[in-house]
Amino acid sequence: MLHQLFSRSLSVYPRIYLQFAALVALLIAAEFSLGTLSMMLTQRALYRVSQRVRSRRAGLRHRRDVHGDCLDGNCCA
């Protein structure tokens, strides 16, 4: 019964079903693309933050090597 109803409606409205299937496929693809894009942007943001932290630590290490352990210059009086 259900099969007959489904097959008859497919023969009557094939264009609507095809458009609906195309719309569903497009929505799935868009959701996948947005998920991938947000993941890539998140990874890029994390990479930038880690690069800033690394450069800040390298700068502090360099200052410590040049000036000794006293960063402000007042501790070795």
Side-chain angles (χ1 to χ4, degrees):
M1 174 71 183
L2 186 62
H3 177 69
Q4 287 176 341
L5 180 65
F6 186 70
S7 64
R8 189 176 350 168
S9 63
L10 268 180
S11 64
V12 174
Y13 303 109
R15 185 174 167 197
I16 292 173
Y17 282 105
L18 286 176
Q19 287 177 348
F20 182 72
L23 178 64
V24 169
L26 185 65
L27 288 173
I28 291 170
E31 184 178 348
F32 177 76
S33 297
L34 286 175
T36 304
L37 178 64
S38 70
M39 183 177 65
M40 288 169 53
L41 291 174
T42 302
Q43 287 177 345
R44 181 70 181 155
L46 288 174
Y47 175 76
R48 285 182 179 172
V49 169
S50 67
Q51 290 301 102
R52 274 191 228 132
V53 169
R54 283 183 187 174
S55 67
R56 201 173 295 148
R57 285 182 182 165
L60 286 173
R61 201 174 300 121
H62 176 71
R63 277 189 235 134
R64 214 177 295 133
D65 291 343
V66 170
H67 300 293
D69 288 336
C70 311
L71 290 178
D72 58 359
N74 294 330
C75 62
C76 299

